[in-house]
Amino acid sequence: MNTVLSRRGLLALGGGLAVAFSLRAEEPARPGSLKGTPSLDAWIRVAPDGRVTVFTGKAELGQGIKTALLQVAAEQLDVPVAHIDLVTADTMRTPNEGFTAGSHSMQDSGTAILNAAAQVRGVLVAAAARDLGVAAETLTTVDGTVHAADGRSAGYGPLAATLNLHIDAEPTSTLKDPSAYRSMGTPMPRVDIPAKLTGGQAYVQDMRLPGMLHARAIRQPSVGAMLLDIDTGPIEAMPGVVTVVRQGSYLAVVARKEWQAVKAMRALEAAAQWRETASLPDQATVLDLLAGLPSRVIPVLDWKGRAGAPMKRLKARYTRPYLMHGAIGPSCAVAQLTDGTMTVWTHTQGVYPLRSALAGLLRMPVDRVHCIHVEGSGCYGHNAADDVAGDAVLIARAVPGHPIRVQWMREQEHTNEPYGAAMIAEVEGAIDAAGNIVDWNYGVWSNTHNRRPNVGGLMLQNAALPDPLPVPPPAPIPMPEGGGERNSNPIYAFPNAKVVSHFIPEMPVRVSALRSLGAYLNVFAIESFMDELAEAANADPVDFRLRHLKDERAKAVVSLAADKFGWGAGKRGEGRGFGFARYKNLGAYCAIALALRVEHETGRIRLGRVVAAVDSGQVVNPDGIRNQIEGAIVQAASWTMYETVRFDRQRILSRDWSGYPILRFPAAPESISVHIVPRPGQPFLGTGEAGQGPMAAAIANAVRDAAGVRLRDVPLSAVRVKAAVGV
Amino acid sequence: MIRLTVNGQQHEVDAEADTPLLYVLRDDLGLNGAKFGCGLGQCGACTVLVDGQPVFSCLTPVSVLAERQVRTIEGLGGNAVQRAFEDVQAAQCGYCIAGMVMRATALLEHNPHPHEDEIRAYMSGNLCRCGTHMRILEAVRQAAGQGVKP
Amino acid sequence: MKLSRALGASVFAAILMTGGCDTVWHPSIPPVAGPAEFPTGQIARGAELAAIGDCSVCHTTEGSRPYASGRGVQTPFGVVYATNITPDPETGIGTWPESAFRRAMREGVDRDGRNLYPVFPYPHFTRATDRDIAALYAFLMTRPAVHADTPPNRLPFPLNQRFVLTGWDHLYLRPGAWQPDPAHDADWNRGAYLVEAVGHCGGCHTPRNVLGAETDGQALAGGEAENWYAPPLQAASPARQGWSVDSLTAYLRTGFDAGHGAAAGPMTAVTAELATVPAADVRAMAVYLTSMMPKPAPAPVVAHAGEDPVFAGACGGCHGPDAPMMRNGAPSLAMSTAVNAPTPRGTIQAILQGLPWREGQAAPYMPPFASVLTDAQIAELAAYLRSAYSDKPAWRDLPAEVARVRGAS
């Protein structure tokens, strides 16, 4: 594996080492995930019959990545999509692309496949040129065949049979002219949808392997609970029960049929005696508790420049509670131990890291664990997908040979998934006499946003086992991606700005990655505060944003959303709100304008028209982009209007959808329209997490416009809105 | 042995009387459409039709179904609702979608031209977490124009 | 059914016309042009009174704008639609002066002088103070005006002739201000006023006579609302565990109490409204109500007898002894007032309809089983619940009762 140190890494090293490596760093890096996996045949193989197999280390999470990657490969290879098989994340077959997270799939894998496909096509054309004795430039490719001007042709299959594609990719590729694209940029129906609409096998939950047994794990009722005593005899005698697995405080049951496993699990839960401690914080004061915990200060940026004298200064604090991923389908995995190898079918976002974690949990060599991604219910980050695989392997080890299917129950998913972290942001800003922002001071406080398991100590089961592995301390995700500080760096051009992140290692509640990480709160805070400053400057919120933006693509997105919404024709007080961000300031740009109504009597927010504009760079599947943005808008509406994980000092109280209500159809917006800025030939920009922050801010800004109240604490629940608006 | 009729076919299954229909469909009949979501009748991922009415199969004991007709997405045969969902690409992860299709089918079989509020109210028993709501509503509206017959 | 309803209507009308021979003609009150201005404090007090009076329970339909109404209230005589009480001048009460509003509250007559049906609880509101009526008026007149027509009532002739109501008023409307009882303290009297005048709890919890009026001498002795059982709120309360002031206050404000369970049917909406009312007011209501109820005592434990496959498969996931909900503080069905009530109606309704979602609120919910279970299966399930969770005698005529409740709902 080639490791190319980044410039950032070199700067950190300093001294003589940096000199020694500097020449290496001058070489252009390979694009996307070709950096880590440069061999062309790791990505693309062409069979003698011309059928193409494309490999990706990324996983389909319902974001449509399979379809988009097929479109990319088809485009650059000049092969019909129907002639391509796509293999997704599998530790024995595909490149290691880490996690399918951070809206990186198109940037990493899409870019790798784009370039690998173009280069494979180049290799095939070169071979044809040699065979046909003509110049490569005179050849054209159509549907898996190379054509010469004189009518002769050569199929990809026979050509590939003579070639070695086990060669490293070049740093640069000859890509097609975007104006000639036929597949990329055109809406394509998702390849995974037909099975989902007809009852086909579509999910790991649907797997049925020969000899498969059903298992359920019994979760500790609270963090650190110790299993005191249990008589498993009566449960082992229940119909269909194969065995009860017990290791320390870890308890599970295996049965022939799923309902038998559920009943046995309930009986085990009733029989188990636990010693519990009150280890959770007081929910009412948890944000203050977090703010008071020891934290590590991470400077994000410090801009100093000349600016006008500050005339008005504002200060505000914004917060979000713990939020739940809340997959509709509880997490599921299937595992089977055969011949000393543990095979795991899982909907994890990272098959390779999970493999290491499971190997650690099992005390098995990594190469004896094989993780294969199979789709599950949407996860929206690090939910219970990995942990249920931990159950599957622990139980499968106890029942060798049999595939073991484990699915969590609803209350297990609700109370044991790692939540999105509660957070606080404080911002102070000043405007000058002309109404321009001259000073900006921003601080954010957060736990980690990444406890994804790559070692056994990070698996949920670890604490219940008799000999737990060491648990690594939580670590921040460095900028420019950032964890809690993601998107804390404003995209606006302020002359003076200081941004500091306070990383809090101690986690009163278990947390990890939830879609968009810290960007949800940071964008909510920044974009709310931009409106507060605009109001202080007596400026229109859209104009105010535009005059503080230098990035032309950002301006284009803001303007497009405003135009399509008809912002200019609106009036203050109509319940209009605007929000904008570029995800991580590296990914897609997304602006949202919306209208809503505040019901004074109930405090309920009624969402009207929502208009979004997005710039995702080169578009592959425009309908996929629209679907992702629509989803972000509705999901963020639910987070922003309703959601809070509830707990007492001992247990999580949000045990099902009645205790953690989310948005239902009657409360969905009246309409959503998504407008895409075409950027042919530009790099792909991840889109899956671009809309959440802007939507939250647009809601809060519209509530301010509609009802005259500024709400800075998510959720903007009916009770809070009602308390703020009075009568 | 328990008798039941699923998608027009009679079955005799060896299941305990309290087994919810969901588990019989998945475990005994090998059908994938109905999904386990909550086991509490809160999310609708398990929705199937019993005598034309949407029910949560996770809370429907199989023993109450002897004389009744169960329909699942496997038995719809590509109806107008399924076609509309495909046409507007009304899915992200798709885990809720079979349940959505079943509930929408029941709605349109009884009320071929529902108002927007009626669609939203009727569909409110089913949850989607990906935020595909607007497409699902669009699919139901589109299917309503095409006629959905039992 | 139809015949008996028509017959009942004729008898009703005959009685009313006899009683109404001294028919009073109510004058129309001239319209005013809104909107008027009101002090914020008065509007805020009006909001609380509107919540205590549960105005929105009838005057707001699911999904509609608050107080724009259109909700059809099922009565034994037919469907009466609650009107639009937003200040829309054409379809609401935008042209009503306060005097017209006060007359409606006190006498059940609209601005035009037409009688209102006593589904609108003016026999209770008539006791409300001028100050409270004025506050309610201020609150309603400052709501957003919504243009929404009220559907025509569905009542048989001659009940669709409003003049017959004059006779009804003659028989049953007892005008007069609320009189405090000096034998009780201020809290009790406050509660009594809120329960009897504004809250009109008797509207559901008092049995009604053949003419739909609350039965004399039977105040809060148990009634029904939209075919849901409304238990007695006095000595005859069937609550398994007696209500204390604390537990009843908690229940009224949250729709749930760990010793009794969740509010169901129309009561769910009532508790949602009371959640927004000052705790002291709700507590005063609880002080008054519990003063009439048996003293709380530990509930006898009812042995859970035997298993039932329908219960296990349909109900056990939440109500079964091993269910997560039960392990986390929900009361056993043995504590349910509906299961211990003399009539199975509450149990049947809960099975048929469940408990609805409350948008965005962590609150009890139960799915409906109307499409899952046949009448016979519901009857069997109800019988099982009664035998397994109550020591009261078995309900009689269950299958017929299930059919009746399902048919009427």
Side-chain angles (χ1 to χ4, degrees):
Chain A
M1 186 188 289
N2 286 317
T3 306
V4 180
L5 288 178
S6 67
R7 285 167 195 277
R8 175 172 297 274
L10 291 171
L11 289 172
L13 286 170
L17 265 180
V19 177
F21 281 109
S22 61
L23 285 174
R24 185 79 185 82
E26 291 305 314
E27 277 183 29
R30 291 187 179 84
S33 291
L34 288 171
K35 280 186 202 70
T37 308
S39 180
L40 289 180
D41 70 346
W43 299 94
I44 291 165
R45 289 179 206 166
V46 183
D49 65 356
R51 215 167 160 81
V52 176
T53 306
V54 173
F55 300 85
T56 174
K58 301 291 185 182
E60 177 66 58
L61 310 174
Q63 81 283 42
I65 193 68
K66 277 183 174 173
T67 309
L69 294 178
L70 283 168
Q71 286 180 270
V72 169
E75 184 69 62
Q76 296 297 336
L77 279 167
D78 269 333
V79 168
V81 167
H83 293 184
I84 305 176
D85 298 311
L86 181 70
V87 177
T88 62
D90 181 326
T91 57
M92 283 174 72
R93 300 179 74 189
T94 68
N96 179 356
E97 295 193 80
F99 295 103
T100 305
S103 300
H104 267 283
S105 294
M106 288 309 294
Q107 283 159 257
D108 296 351
S109 208
T111 302
I113 290 168
L114 177 89
N115 285 277
Q119 293 189 27
V120 166
R121 178 175 160 277
V123 171
L124 292 165
V125 168
R130 193 184 57 231
D131 290 359
L132 300 172
V134 297
E137 298 76 45
T138 66
L139 296 172
T140 56
T141 50
V142 180
D143 288 349
T145 305
V146 185
H147 294 276
D150 58 12
R152 288 181 299 161
S153 66
Y156 281 8
L159 285 168
T162 68
L163 292 172
N164 175 18
L165 288 178
H166 191 64
I167 51 173
D168 283 359
E170 296 297 325
T172 57
S173 320
T174 308
L175 299 172
K176 277 193 189 171
D177 183 338
S179 64
Y181 284 168
R182 291 185 303 163
S183 174
M184 282 169 65
T186 307
M188 175 170 154
R190 290 238 311 265
V191 294
D192 54 318
I193 286 183
K196 295 172 178 177
L197 277 173
T198 53
Q201 187 189 309
Y203 305 94
V204 67
Q205 283 89 346
D206 300 335
M207 287 184 69
R208 289 180 198 86
L209 298 175
M212 188 173 86
L213 300 172
H214 291 275
R216 286 291 184 279
I218 285 74
R219 294 267 83 88
Q220 294 158 288
S222 56
V223 177
M226 273 185 55
L227 182 59
L228 295 178
D229 190 33
I230 184 164
D231 175 11
T232 59
I235 288 116
E236 279 165 301
M238 287 176 72
V241 171
V242 175
T243 188
V244 171
V245 179
R246 183 180 174 184
Q247 273 186 273
S249 292
Y250 183 75
L251 201 56
V253 62
V254 184
R256 304 213 170 276
K257 298 175 85 167
E258 192 168 5
W259 178 242
Q260 293 168 332
V262 171
K263 286 206 288 187
M265 168 208 177
R266 294 299 183 212
L268 273 173
E269 286 179 328
Q273 302 289 315
W274 301 87
R275 186 167 73 221
E276 296 182 66
T277 48
S279 60
L280 292 174
D282 177 4
Q283 187 180 356
T285 56
V286 71
L287 288 165
D288 297 329
L289 171 78
L290 283 169
L293 287 175
S295 62
R296 194 188 321 165
V297 172
I298 302 171
V300 174
L301 60 84
D302 195 356
W303 297 337
K304 289 193 172 68
R306 282 200 294 178
M311 296 296 288
K312 261 189 209 168
R313 191 170 281 277
L314 301 182
K315 195 172 176 181
R317 178 184 192 253
Y318 302 86
T319 68
R320 60 169 268 193
Y322 292 101
L323 294 173
M324 198 179 281
H325 301 80
I328 294 298
S331 297
C332 182
V334 179
Q336 183 176 21
L337 181 64
T338 35
D339 303 330
T341 294
M342 185 68 79
T343 306
V344 191
W345 292 268
T346 164
H347 56 106
T348 176
Q349 289 182 282
V351 286
Y352 281 93
L354 177 64
R355 179 179 66 162
S356 303
L358 295 178
L361 196 68
L362 295 168
R363 278 72 167 170
M364 281 172 72
V366 168
D367 61 4
R368 305 304 285 181
V369 179
H370 176 196
C371 291
I372 303 166
H373 184 269
V374 185
E375 277 188 69
S377 182
C379 60
Y380 327 109
H382 174 201
N383 71 343
D386 298 279
D387 287 329
V388 75
D391 288 323
V393 298
L394 286 172
I395 300 165
R397 182 172 61 182
V399 193
H402 285 280
I404 300 294
R405 177 189 181 278
V406 193
Q407 186 166 18
W408 279 15
M409 301 303 285
R410 171 48 50 199
E411 80 281 2
Q412 295 181 325
E413 186 87 14
H414 260 60
T415 59
N416 288 278
E417 64 148 275
Y419 304 121
M423 290 173 65
I424 303 150
E426 284 183 4
V427 55
E428 190 176 348
I431 50 172
D432 64 11
N436 293 315
I437 298 172
V438 291
D439 195 16
W440 180 273
N441 204 323
Y442 187 96
V444 57
W445 285 257
S446 179
N447 280 147
T448 181
H449 288 257
N450 179 18
R451 293 294 274 168
R452 294 177 185 277
N454 55 0
V455 294
L458 288 174
M459 299 294 297
L460 178 67
Q461 295 79 10
N462 183 53
L465 294 177
D467 50 347
L469 296 163
V471 181
I477 302 170
M479 289 294 274
E481 304 254 328
E485 56 276 51
R486 179 168 293 181
N487 270 94
S488 64
N489 47 338
I491 190 169
Y492 301 102
F494 303 142
N496 294 290
K498 187 171 182 185
V499 176
V500 172
S501 168
H502 305 261
F503 176 79
I504 307 163
E506 186 183 330
M507 292 171 285
V509 177
R510 184 186 186 219
V511 294
S512 190
L514 170 67
R515 203 172 184 186
S516 82
L517 311 191
Y520 172 64
L521 179 74
N522 289 320
V523 173
F524 171 71
I526 292 173
E527 289 296 293
S528 292
F529 200 63
M530 284 298 285
D531 260 43
E532 296 197 44
L533 290 171
E535 194 177 323
N538 199 24
D540 174 82
V542 171
D543 293 342
F544 190 71
R545 282 174 174 76
L546 286 172
R547 76 181 190 226
H548 286 93
L549 282 170
K550 291 281 184 285
D551 181 331
E552 292 302 325
R553 288 173 72 171
K555 287 190 204 175
V557 166
V558 167
S559 300
L560 181 63
D563 288 351
K564 294 290 183 183
F565 181 82
W567 188 271
K571 290 198 297 283
R572 283 201 188 162
E574 289 178 334
R576 300 173 308 155
F578 201 89
F580 164 72
R582 180 184 189 191
Y583 187 51
K584 299 187 270 193
N585 286 352
L586 300 169
Y589 300 79
C590 179
I592 294 173
L594 59 78
L596 56 72
R597 197 159 53 72
V598 172
E599 228 172 66
H600 279 243
E601 293 70 30
T602 59
R604 283 182 182 150
I605 297 167
R606 296 289 175 222
L607 297 172
R609 211 156 47 90
V610 184
V611 176
V614 59
D615 174 351
S616 298
Q618 168 69 50
V619 173
V620 175
N621 191 351
D623 194 57
I625 289 174
R626 274 192 284 271
N627 206 350
Q628 284 291 290
I629 296 292
E630 289 166 24
I633 285 168
V634 176
Q635 189 176 59
S638 183
W639 292 354
T640 307
M641 299 195 300
Y642 302 130
E643 299 183 26
T644 301
V645 176
R646 294 158 59 246
F647 46 88
D648 62 19
R649 300 307 296 268
Q650 189 155 312
R651 294 183 179 186
I652 300 295
L653 301 177
S654 296
R655 288 181 288 264
D656 58 33
W657 299 117
S658 74
Y660 191 83
I662 63 172
L663 183 140
R664 290 178 180 269
F665 277 99
E670 277 170 27
S671 67
I672 299 178
S673 55
V674 179
H675 304 274
I676 300 173
V677 181
R679 295 288 180 193
Q682 291 291 322
F684 305 132
L685 300 177
T687 305
E689 297 161 286
Q692 283 81 355
M695 182 62 184
I699 289 174
N701 291 335
V703 167
R704 168 71 189 172
D705 189 45
V709 293
R710 170 60 61 183
L711 293 173
R712 301 186 183 90
D713 300 298
V714 171
L716 282 65
S717 64
V719 169
R720 284 180 174 165
V721 172
K722 174 77 183 144
V725 300
V727 289
Chain B
M1 295 299 256
I2 288 179
R3 247 177 343 111
L4 80 163
T5 307
V6 178
N7 298 327
Q9 252 193 307
Q10 288 217 353
H11 298 272
E12 287 210 342
V13 294
D14 182 14
E16 291 152 45
D18 61 359
T19 312
L21 173 62
L22 171 69
Y23 296 96
V24 171
L25 294 174
R26 296 187 63 87
D27 248 18
D28 296 280
L29 304 183
L31 300 174
N32 296 315
K35 300 277 191 281
F36 176 78
C38 63
L40 305 165
Q42 298 182 348
C43 76
C46 67
T47 303
V48 301
L49 304 189
V50 171
D51 291 345
Q53 295 292 330
V55 303
F56 301 118
S57 65
C58 69
L59 296 180
T60 302
V62 67
S63 54
V64 307
L65 297 170
E67 307 302 326
R68 303 163 74 186
Q69 297 288 331
V70 177
R71 283 158 68 205
T72 73
I73 199 163
E74 287 86 351
L76 293 185
N79 74 1
V81 179
Q82 287 169 296
R83 292 197 304 273
F85 271 70
E86 164 76 26
D87 192 55
V88 304
Q89 295 281 289
Q92 289 185 55
C93 84
Y95 197 87
C96 70
I97 289 301
M100 295 285 180
V101 167
M102 295 314 293
R103 187 169 294 275
T105 295
L107 168 65
L108 298 180
E109 284 179 359
H110 296 104
N111 181 1
H113 299 288
H115 300 299
E116 179 70 14
D117 287 349
E118 289 175 318
I119 298 175
R120 288 178 179 233
Y122 198 89
M123 298 302 292
S124 69
N126 287 35
L127 287 175
C128 164
R129 186 59 164 163
C130 295
T132 319
H133 299 65
M134 308 316 291
R135 286 175 184 240
I136 294 168
L137 292 169
E138 176 58 27
V140 178
R141 287 191 289 264
Q142 184 172 316
Q146 296 168 4
V148 178
K149 294 190 185 70
Chain C
M1 186 69 192
K2 271 194 179 143
L3 184 68
S4 68
R5 183 182 284 188
L7 194 66
S10 307
V11 173
F12 183 111
I15 295 170
L16 290 184
M17 282 186 276
T18 330
C21 51
D22 57 342
T23 294
V24 178
W25 206 253
H26 302 286
S28 171
I29 296 177
V32 289
E37 299 255 330
F38 302 92
T40 311
Q42 189 184 28
I43 299 169
R45 187 58 198 146
E48 291 165 10
L49 290 161
I52 293 169
D54 312 315
C55 307
S56 74
V57 173
C58 291
H59 287 280
T60 304
T61 53
E62 190 64 45
S64 84
R65 307 276 290 263
Y67 305 108
S69 129
R71 181 180 159 113
V73 181
Q74 283 280 353
T75 76
F77 311 102
V79 178
V80 179
Y81 284 89
T83 53
N84 179 349
I85 52 171
T86 72
D88 181 58
E90 284 158 22
T91 60
I93 59 169
T95 60
W96 289 36
E98 189 181 318
S99 58
F101 182 75
R102 190 165 53 242
R103 184 175 73 175
M105 293 287 283
R106 289 266 163 75
E107 300 172 39
V109 174
D110 74 6
R111 189 188 61 76
D112 291 332
R114 294 185 312 158
N115 285 85
L116 298 167
Y117 287 94
V119 181
F120 173 60
Y122 58 89
H124 289 275
F125 294 158
T126 198
R127 306 257 178 278
T129 63
D130 281 356
R131 195 162 156 266
D132 283 355
I133 290 175
L136 274 167
Y137 178 73
F139 170 71
L140 290 173
M141 296 307 276
T142 50
R143 298 307 91 202
V146 179
H147 191 91
D149 286 311
T150 303
N153 295 330
R154 286 186 280 139
L155 291 167
F157 182 85
L159 296 186
N160 55 5
Q161 304 301 303
R162 286 174 183 262
F163 69 86
V164 300
L165 293 165
T166 309
W168 194 96
D169 290 343
H170 179 77
L171 290 172
Y172 299 117
L173 178 63
R174 311 274 151 71
W178 169 254
Q179 296 303 326
D181 182 344
H184 291 281
D185 65 10
D187 240 16
W188 186 95
N189 274 298
R190 173 83 188 139
Y193 168 74
L194 292 176
V195 165
E196 301 294 349
V198 184
H200 67 279
C201 304
C204 299
H205 289 273
T206 297
R208 290 184 184 264
N209 65 18
V210 64
L211 298 183
E214 291 176 30
T215 313
D216 275 340
Q218 297 276 308
L220 302 176
E224 66 168 51
E226 298 179 70
N227 276 298
W228 285 78
Y229 166 66
L233 304 180
Q234 28 78 306
S237 165
R240 191 75 214 164
Q241 183 173 52
W243 289 98
S244 66
V245 174
D246 284 346
S247 64
L248 187 56
T249 305
Y251 172 85
L252 289 174
R253 298 191 82 229
T254 65
F256 176 80
D257 175 66
H260 297 83
M267 194 63 196
T268 303
V270 171
T271 60
E273 288 291 304
L274 292 178
T276 68
V277 168
D281 278 349
V282 180
R283 193 172 177 83
M285 294 167 79
V287 165
Y288 170 67
L289 289 170
T290 52
S291 75
M292 298 181 288
M293 294 181 182
K295 290 276 165 283
V301 177
V302 176
H304 179 73
E307 281 297 329
D308 176 79
V310 173
F311 178 83
C315 321
C318 294
H319 296 288
D322 303 341
M325 188 172 94
M326 305 308 295
R327 282 185 278 114
N328 287 291
S332 158
L333 286 172
M335 305 309 292
S336 160
T337 300
V339 171
N340 287 292
T343 156
R345 191 165 298 173
T347 298
I348 292 166
Q349 282 284 32
I351 296 170
L352 282 171
Q353 299 192 37
L355 273 64
W357 290 108
R358 287 163 66 169
E359 183 189 330
Q361 282 188 58
Y365 158 83
M366 176 176 157
F369 286 85
S371 302
V372 175
L373 302 174
T374 63
D375 287 0
Q377 288 162 348
I378 290 175
E380 284 171 29
L381 179 59
Y384 167 76
L385 292 173
R386 182 73 162 184
S387 68
Y389 288 103
S390 175
D391 52 6
K392 301 274 167 43
W395 286 312
R396 292 191 302 175
D397 296 333
L398 267 172
E401 188 65 15
V402 175
R404 187 156 54 241
V405 173
R406 193 198 285 265
S409 298

